[in-house]
Amino acid sequence: MDMKRKKLVLAVSAAVLLGGYTVGIFGQTEGDLTQKQIENPNTLENKEDIAKSVLESTGRSGQYDLQDLGDVTVYLGSDVTGNPQDAIVTVSFGPKNTVVAAYTADGNVYEYTGDLGNFYGVQNIRFVPVPELKKEIVIVREQVNQSLGSFEQSDILRGYVFDGKEYQDVLNTPQKIESSWNNLWNKGELQEPSLWRRVTEETESKWTGGDEPSLTITRYQSYLESGDKGEGEVPGDETFQEKDSRVVVERVYWPDEWNRFILDEAVETATGQPVAIIENLASSPYLLADLPDFKDYRIVRKDGTTAYVDAEELKF
C-alpha cells in the first residue's frame, strides 16, 4: 500500500484473504510514530504514546480517556505486498470503540496518512496486493456484537479506498452471523408463545485476480429452533435443532468505472441513470426464518449516494 500519494490504496473492514504480518503492540506518541515504537510496541510508554498519536492525528483528542485504553495493535505490510513500510494501527477503548489509522514509513518515522474510522472491534487486518490494478487491498475483519431486535454476533468486511486524500468505502459484506431471538418479542396484536429462533451464516471466500479482480463468497446458512421455552437468557446451543438450510454464492467484482466492489449493474428507472448493486437482500439468512427485508437491493449511484430499492425500480 503506497500511502504517500503515489497510487490508490484499498482498505477493506473485515477477513480473510492474503498477505499481512501482525505485530501485537501496546504503544504511541503525539504526531507521527517512530520506527522504534512500531518495532517495540509492548512497553507501557509506547502503548500510550501510540494511542495519543492516533487520537491526535484523527481529530479525536479529548474524546477518550487513556485510562480506558485497551489493546493497541500494529499490522505491517509484508513481503507479499511489496510495501513492508506500511502500517495500520488499531487502538481499542473497549467494546464499540476501536479507532483505526494508517501510517507509512519515511525513513525512521511513520507518517500519518489516513483515518479508516471507528469500529466495534477488529479481529484481523490483512494486506492483499492486486497487481492487475496496481493497487493493494487491506482487509479488515470487524466483529460486531449488538442487540437490535435480536442478540446478533457478526463478522463484517468493511472496505475503503485511499484516493490520495481520504479513504472511500469500497466493500461492506458479512462474513459470519449468529442471531437469536424469541417470538415473545414480536409486537403484534396476538401474543405469540415463547419460541427461541436462530439464524447462522458461515462463509468461505476466494480471491480471483485478473483484469477484473473479484471475491467469491459462499454462504452456508441455517435456521434453527430451540426446545427450551424459557423466556430469559438465550438457551444453550445444544437445545437448538436445524429446521432449514441453504447455500448462497455471491461474486463481487471491481470495475474501474465504479472504483469499488459491486455485485451487478442496473439502470434506475426513475432517473434513467446507471447504478451499481452493492447488496442483494435475498441473500440474507433471515429469509430462512420467513423474515424478508422491506426492500430487494442496496444500490450506489454515480454521485456516491446509496439507497435501498425494490426490484421494480431497476432495469437489468
Side-chain angles (χ1 to χ4, degrees):
M1 175 171 60
D2 186 349
M3 300 180 195
K4 294 164 100 175
R5 316 304 198 262
K6 293 181 180 178
K7 62 181 181 180
L8 291 179
V9 179
L10 294 181
V12 184
S13 161
V16 156
L17 306 177
L18 308 172
Y21 173 99
T22 304
V23 179
I25 146 173
F26 299 86
Q28 186 207 346
T29 61
E30 296 180 5
D32 296 330
L33 304 178
T34 67
Q35 184 173 352
K36 288 184 178 181
Q37 290 171 330
I38 292 292
E39 294 177 349
N40 302 281
N42 295 307
T43 67
L44 178 60
E45 180 181 3
N46 282 350
K47 178 179 179 179
E48 291 188 353
D49 284 344
I50 290 175
K52 291 177 184 177
S53 173
V54 169
L55 295 180
E56 179 180 290
S57 298
T58 61
R60 294 179 176 85
S61 295
Q63 295 183 23
Y64 297 97
D65 189 335
L66 288 181
Q67 292 185 351
D68 298 325
L69 179 61
D71 292 341
V72 178
T73 305
V74 170
Y75 298 85
L76 295 177
S78 70
D79 292 336
V80 176
T81 69
N83 288 289
Q85 76 273 21
D86 296 324
I88 303 293
V89 180
T90 69
V91 180
S92 174
F93 292 92
K96 305 180 183 181
N97 284 305
T98 296
V99 181
V100 181
Y103 293 78
T104 194
D106 184 8
N108 293 325
V109 175
Y110 277 77
E111 297 179 345
Y112 170 76
T113 54
D115 180 359
L116 274 68
N118 281 70
F119 301 84
Y120 272 71
V122 174
Q123 183 185 63
N124 195 20
I125 297 177
R126 295 171 182 263
F127 296 77
V128 179
V130 188
E132 296 83 3
L133 298 179
K134 297 182 180 181
K135 307 176 191 294
E136 290 176 342
I137 303 173
V138 178
I139 302 292
V140 184
R141 187 164 186 148
E142 181 184 23
Q143 290 182 312
V144 179
N145 297 328
Q146 57 186 351
S147 297
L148 297 174
S150 69
F151 294 107
E152 180 173 300
Q153 298 177 330
S154 57
D155 292 356
I156 302 174
L157 292 181
R158 302 193 186 278
Y160 309 85
V161 58
F162 186 72
D163 61 5
K165 296 180 180 180
E166 60 184 359
Y167 286 90
Q168 303 291 340
D169 183 6
V170 299
L171 180 66
N172 186 329
T173 183
Q175 289 287 284
K176 182 178 180 179
I177 297 174
E178 180 179 295
S179 179
S180 304
W181 70 97
N182 195 304
N183 274 357
L184 288 173
W185 302 347
N186 294 337
K187 303 298 183 181
E189 293 183 2
L190 298 177
Q191 181 64 61
E192 298 186 49
S194 176
L195 175 63
W196 283 99
R197 310 170 73 191
R198 172 177 291 177
V199 294
T200 66
E201 177 178 279
E202 298 283 347
T203 62
E204 294 178 355
S205 300
K206 179 182 179 182
W207 177 262
T208 302
D211 294 336
E212 191 177 78
S214 64
L215 177 66
T216 300
I217 305 172
T218 304
R219 306 184 185 279
Y220 301 94
Q221 301 174 345
S222 297
Y223 167 65
L224 308 92
E225 294 180 355
S226 173
D228 189 326
K229 302 302 180 182
E231 301 177 6
E233 297 181 354
V234 178
D237 293 344
E238 70 280 357
T239 70
F240 284 88
Q241 293 185 341
E242 185 176 271
K243 299 297 183 180
D244 199 1
S245 65
R246 67 173 183 172
V247 178
V248 177
V249 179
E250 291 188 308
R251 175 181 175 270
V252 294
Y253 62 97
W254 179 279
D256 283 336
E257 178 183 0
W258 291 98
N259 204 37
R260 63 161 299 131
F261 288 100
I262 68 173
L263 285 166
D264 202 354
E265 295 180 87
V267 173
E268 192 171 14
T269 55
T271 63
Q273 297 299 310
V275 296
I277 310 297
I278 57 176
E279 183 179 1
N280 182 354
L281 298 176
S283 298
S284 168
Y286 287 96
L287 267 67
L288 290 174
D290 294 324
L291 295 174
D293 282 285
F294 64 99
K295 295 290 184 178
D296 297 310
Y297 300 103
R298 186 177 182 222
I299 62 170
V300 61
R301 303 183 179 94
K302 286 291 186 178
D303 63 4
T305 61
T306 63
Y308 287 97
V309 301
D310 293 318
E312 293 76 13
E313 299 178 62
L314 303 176
K315 181 183 295 185
F316 290 89

